[in-house]
Structure formats: C-alpha cells, structure tokens
Amino acid sequence: MNKLHRLFVACVAAFLPWMLPAQGFSYDDGLPRSTPEAEGIRSEAVADVFKAVADAGYEVHGLMILRHDKVIAEHWWQPYGPEQPHAMYSATKSFTAAAIGFVVQEGLLQVSDKVMSFFPDLLPQKQPEALSRLTVEHLLTMSAGHERMTYPGSGDDQVRSFLAMDYAHEPGTVFAYNITCSHMLSNIITRLTGLTLYEYLKPRLLDPLGIRDVVWEMDLDGRNMGNGGMHSKTSDLAKFGIFLKNGGKWQGRQLLDPKWVEAMTTPHIYQHPERSDEENDLDDSGKGYGYQVWMGRHHSYRAIGAQTQMSMVLPDQDMVIAVNGSIGDEAGFNTILFRLLDGISDRKLKPSRTLDLAAEVGRYEHPLPFSTQDPAFVLKSRTLRYRMHQNAYGIEGLSFRFDAEGNMYLTLEGKTSVHNIPFGLDGWKRGATDRTLFFGGAIYPNLMGTTPVTTGGCCAWTGKDELTARYVSLFNNGCQETFRFLFSGDRNELTVTVVAPQGRVRPGGPAGAPRDIVLTATRILSTY
C-alpha cells in the first residue's frame, strides 16, 4: 500500500462517523410535544399549510409550529435536520436586543444614554453635530439618521467610521434598516461588561433556555457580530419565541423584565409612514419596528433574518412558528402560515380519524438538482485515484470511492489539508469539511476555525462518463458548489469542472460574472 493510498484510507475511516443519515435522526431539544387537536387546531389545517408551502416551491429547511408552548407539527427537509446549527442571519439582532435588556436590568445602561459616551477613544476629531443626540434607543429602533449605511472597516475601525458618519435626518425620526446599528450594540455590551455578546448572553438567556452548541461569528477585533452571525437550531428559534411571548419568562422563571420584552415587541417607529393602513396590511414590512423586532399582520411580531430565518409570535393565538430556510418571498410565505388562524379554537378538538399528520408532513422533500440518466452508468464498489495537474488551487490529488449502492465519497488533497465530502446517489448524504477549500466562492471560507461544518451532498451519473455532484453548506444556507466530472473512456484521464455559481460573486474575486473553473488530472494506476 503506497503513501497516497494509506492517506486516503485513513481519511475515509476518520470521516465515517460524520456520515449521518438524512432522515430519522433523533434529537431532544427539550420542548414538549402535543397534537394539533389537543391544542385546538385541526390536523387538516396544518397539513394544508405544508401542502401550500410545497406547492409554492418555497425552500424550507426546517419548520416547527407550536401552540401553548408545545410542538404540534415539525419537519426538516433533507439534508437539513433538527440537530444542525443553521445560519440565523439578522434574526441574531433580536437576541442582541434581549442582551441589551439584561444590561438595562442590571443597571449598567439606560436606553437614553448617548452612544458617543461609550467610545471616547474612538471619536472623530470633527464630530457630526447630531452625534451628541444619538442614543442607544436610536440604535435599537434603526433610526440613527445617517446619510449612508455602509461603514468601512471592522471592529474598532468600523466603530470609528460609524461615529464619523454624516446625518441626513435627526436621530429617532426616520426608520432606515442599518445593520451596523445592531453591531454597535454588541460593541457597547463588550465595553460595559468586558465580555463578548455570546459570553454575556450565555448564562442569562441561552443556558436557561437550553440553547446549546451556538456558533457566533466575530468581527476582526474578536467581538460577536450583533447584526448577524449566530448559528443555532430551529428549535432555538422556537424557544426564543416562547420566551418573548411569555414576557421574558421561561418555565416559570422570570429571566428578563417583562417591560423590556414589551418594549422589544411594541412598534416605536414605522418603516413606511407614507403608506395607508390598507397598503401596510398587504405584507409584514410596514407594520412597525420595535427593539430589533419586526411587527406583522394579525398582531404578530418576529425575529427575522435573511432568507426567512424566523421566530414568529402570534400572542393572540398563543402560537409560535419557527422557520429556517432560503425563502425570498417572506410576505407570501407568511400569508400561507396565517392560514392556521382560520378556525382555531381554545378548546380541544376530536382527533382526526382519516389523517396521519406525521406521515403526511414527513413525505415532503425538495426535488434533487439532477437525476441519473441510466442505472447502467453507475459505478459501484470501486475506487479511482487521480493526480491533479498543476492548478492555482493547490489541489494535488483527487480520489473517488463508490460504495456498493453507488454513493460517492470524494477526497480532495492539498499541500496541507485533506477534504472528504460524501455524496448520495440520487439522494442526500451528510458529511463535514473544514471549509478552507472553496472554488467558485459559493461556500464560505472558514475564517472562524469552526471545524468541522456539516455538508449535504448528492450526485448522479448524468452521462456514460459524466458524474455531476453538488454539496451545500448546512452551516450557511444558500452556499453550494457543483462539480462535473468527465472521465475518458478508459477512466485514465479526468476533467473536473467547478460550475460557476449563479448570482454570486466570489469573495475577493475578480469583478464580473463568475466563470467555470476547469481542472485536469491523470489516474494513478494500482501497483499491487
């Protein structure tokens, strides 16, 4: 056995524990379960919502519906699962606002405090006149009044940029969505407590709610992003919704002052004051903004992040809906969810005699990106190894292992790293990678050292000598790479095409539309 083969076998053996099944994975999130009828909702109404979501083609990764603090329906679409941390994007902001509430509760801060007072060492020489009137509450309500909402730099450099920015409006008068307002709140927490946002929030909120295994991205000066970057589970969104709905109380214990939760979930400013009430009733973007929380139709409010990472609370119905996904049409998606409100009862209902809700919900899956053309093309129980020709990506070796079912395990070898990625044949297989390898830029580079990060991969023989494979990052949704492997007839030569991501620009890459990356390789023939 030569050195390259020993390396390949060792890497596959080390990687096998991460080959988790895509379905049937049991995860105890600590939330009680019930049935829709026991909580006053018909199973048919729940099934209709899932069907409408599928019919609309929304890419949902996880959906949990709760009433009276109990889960009455839940589903994760392959390759996502209940146990996996998922990017929360701007839903992070609502957790940041809760952290500010704890700081206020502990007497370290008042929302009327001036922002500039926390950063005397970072103030610009020439201070904008309105800066002296900018308060913490203006950060909470996205009403800073700045002329522009982009701030160069990271960490202290970005704070300096923020404090030096010119003003177009008097602070507190105009809503303008400004993600750096939220990160300024994280900076303030660190200035006051000496702790990062995560360190501060963990014993006060995350631990009591059973929110564990959180990964929270940082700026270049080591402070957790207050505007995004939290990675947690769908059930964690559900728990946060319960916490808000119950006025800062969790399982009978008052964690946060209910007056603060009321302030978070009450509109302080309106996004579109020029609209009529009828216009604002058409979606959820103009119903008002609280402290890093959006108001919505039917007296709802929600923590919401890009592509609909959402904890929606419907207090009138004592409901919480938690969602992870890649959904651009939030208004349309929410309209489907609101169908649950028709016919809701405060009394228990008789169980459905005709519908198995778990089976009905469990059948929903997203279509695979491609399918095998001819089963005769499929390789099984075989290993192929290749030496890569010189390339700009430092890839020296590439290996395929096909198991008895035709699933493919891809190994990419660099000078200092080995990447193992599993791909299910005509289905998803989970794996992990440290993400230091990325071609087209659609997979985030691993700048945080979070290793490993889960992936979902699938492949298909799309021609006699053509294997197409795609893996998605389950850590940052919407991030994926697609490979097209073209073998010569004797499989001694290989062309690898990394398909250019559509609609994405590689971070730090050249301007213009991304292009396919083409690499070539020669097979390493066995010597034993």
Side-chain angles (χ1 to χ4, degrees):
M1 184 181 292
N2 61 34
K3 181 179 178 181
L4 184 61
H5 188 242
R6 287 197 301 270
L7 179 62
F8 171 67
V9 171
C11 289
V12 170
F15 188 68
L16 284 175
W18 288 93
M19 311 286 185
L20 303 177
Q23 284 184 310
F25 192 92
S26 176
Y27 175 73
D28 181 11
D29 55 29
L31 292 170
R33 264 64 181 175
S34 185
T35 65
E37 282 78 13
E39 309 307 324
I41 301 176
R42 294 184 304 109
S43 289
E44 287 80 4
V46 176
D48 286 347
V49 165
F50 277 88
K51 182 178 184 303
V53 167
D55 289 346
Y58 290 124
E59 184 184 330
V60 187
H61 300 158
L63 173 59
M64 301 179 74
I65 301 172
L66 301 89
R67 192 168 194 223
H68 306 323
D69 300 350
K70 299 173 184 176
V71 180
I72 61 170
E74 57 191 322
H75 183 56
W76 285 263
W77 283 252
Q78 292 189 43
Y80 298 88
E83 78 289 354
Q84 294 162 332
H86 191 289
M88 295 296 163
Y89 299 123
S90 288
T92 305
K93 294 178 173 67
S94 302
F95 286 85
T96 301
I100 291 292
F102 282 106
V103 175
V104 171
Q105 182 169 283
E106 292 169 10
L108 302 177
L109 173 72
Q110 293 181 344
V111 295
S112 58
D113 288 344
K114 301 297 189 291
V115 173
M116 62 185 296
S117 68
F118 301 103
F119 308 100
D121 53 321
L122 302 178
L123 292 173
Q125 246 184 352
K126 183 180 178 182
Q127 297 175 18
E129 189 267 336
L131 176 61
S132 64
R133 297 189 295 279
L134 181 69
T135 68
V136 172
E137 186 165 42
H138 297 144
L139 302 181
L140 287 163
T141 58
M142 296 284 186
S143 59
H146 283 166
E147 185 174 42
R148 293 188 295 116
M149 265 71 77
T150 56
Y151 309 89
S154 177
D156 283 347
D157 286 341
Q158 190 179 66
V159 174
R160 289 190 185 94
S161 301
F162 183 92
L163 295 172
M165 189 60 62
D166 291 331
Y167 288 74
H169 306 281
E170 178 65 20
T173 61
V174 175
F175 175 90
Y177 190 67
N178 185 333
I179 65 173
T180 306
C181 282
S182 310
H183 190 43
M184 288 294 292
L185 296 171
S186 176
N187 279 280
I188 289 171
I189 287 171
T190 299
R191 287 268 171 153
L192 287 173
T193 69
L195 303 172
T196 65
L197 176 56
Y198 172 70
E199 291 169 337
Y200 181 75
L201 206 53
K202 188 174 185 295
R204 292 163 175 81
L205 178 67
L206 304 182
D207 285 347
L209 269 60
I211 297 177
R212 303 182 180 88
D213 305 320
V214 172
V215 177
W216 205 319
E217 298 180 44
M218 296 180 173
D219 65 19
L220 294 184
D221 283 335
R223 292 184 280 274
N224 293 123
M225 303 303 297
N227 53 11
M230 183 180 181
H231 298 253
S232 56
K233 306 172 187 69
T234 314
S235 58
D236 297 334
L237 285 173
K239 292 173 181 178
F240 188 60
I242 292 172
F243 166 79
L244 293 178
K245 178 179 64 66
N246 293 337
K249 185 179 292 187
W250 180 258
Q251 296 179 345
R253 178 185 169 195
Q254 192 72 49
L255 301 177
L256 183 58
D257 188 341
K259 291 182 180 179
W260 181 263
V261 177
E262 183 181 3
M264 284 180 64
T265 58
T266 300
H268 295 265
I269 196 165
Y270 286 85
Q271 301 93 330
H272 301 287
E274 77 283 358
R275 287 183 184 175
S276 67
D277 290 342
E278 291 75 14
E279 289 174 312
N280 280 329
D281 283 339
L282 295 176
D283 62 38
D284 299 285
S285 67
K287 303 294 286 184
Y289 194 74
Y291 286 171
Q292 307 285 288
V293 173
W294 294 79
M295 308 303 115
R297 289 168 284 173
H298 303 284
H299 304 120
S300 64
Y301 55 83
R302 65 204 185 283
I304 180 73
Q307 303 175 58
T308 311
Q309 323 311 319
M310 181 171 68
S311 178
M312 177 189 285
V313 179
L314 293 138
D316 294 352
Q317 291 79 21
D318 198 13
M319 289 184 66
V320 172
I321 301 174
V323 183
N324 285 126
S326 187
I327 305 164
D329 177 22
E330 187 203 345
F333 179 74
N334 289 352
T335 297
I336 291 176
L337 297 181
F338 290 141
R339 295 185 190 183
L340 288 168
L341 307 185
D342 296 335
I344 198 168
S345 174
D346 289 329
R347 295 181 297 176
K348 290 185 178 182
L349 305 176
K350 292 182 179 180
S352 174
R353 294 183 177 181
T354 58
L355 179 65
D356 182 342
L357 183 62
E360 173 66 17
V361 168
R363 70 184 179 87
Y364 289 108
E365 298 299 342
H366 297 303
L368 294 171
F370 27 70
S371 59
T372 299
Q373 291 184 343
D374 188 336
F377 301 159
V378 176
L379 289 185
K380 297 181 180 180
S381 302
R382 189 168 181 183
T383 298
L384 300 171
R385 296 179 295 120
Y386 293 85
R387 180 174 290 109
M388 300 298 297
H389 300 160
Q390 185 173 359
N391 60 82
Y393 301 91
I395 306 303
E396 298 181 339
L398 183 151
S399 302
F400 303 90
R401 182 175 69 83
F402 300 96
D403 66 16
E405 287 75 42
N407 301 306
M408 185 263 285
Y409 302 85
L410 176 69
T411 299
L412 295 165
E413 302 171 34
K415 292 187 188 321
T416 59
S417 60
V418 176
H419 306 266
N420 295 286
I421 308 171
F423 298 84
L425 180 69
D426 298 330
W428 294 99
K429 219 173 211 346
R430 293 188 200 158
T433 174
D434 68 359
R435 298 186 302 133
T436 57
L437 175 70
F438 72 113
F439 294 100
I443 295 291
Y444 281 76
N446 182 18
L447 301 178
M448 297 169 55
T450 51
T451 305
V453 172
T454 51
T455 61
C458 65
C459 65
W461 287 90
T462 48
K464 182 177 182 299
D465 296 305
E466 183 181 77
L467 175 65
T468 305
R470 177 177 296 171
Y471 78 102
V472 299
S473 168
L474 306 184
F475 188 73
N476 279 308
N477 56 299
C479 302
Q480 62 188 32
E481 305 248 55
T482 300
F483 300 94
R484 189 165 56 246
F485 302 103
L486 185 62
F487 300 86
S488 62
D490 57 8
R491 308 202 189 282
N492 287 339
E493 301 297 327
L494 172 68
T495 300
V496 181
T497 300
V498 184
V499 180
Q502 299 301 310
R504 286 183 174 270
V505 178
R506 179 166 62 87
R515 300 177 181 177
D516 290 353
I517 296 169
V518 180
L519 309 174
T520 57
T522 298
R523 186 176 171 190
I524 301 172
L525 298 175
S526 176
T527 57
Y528 58 89

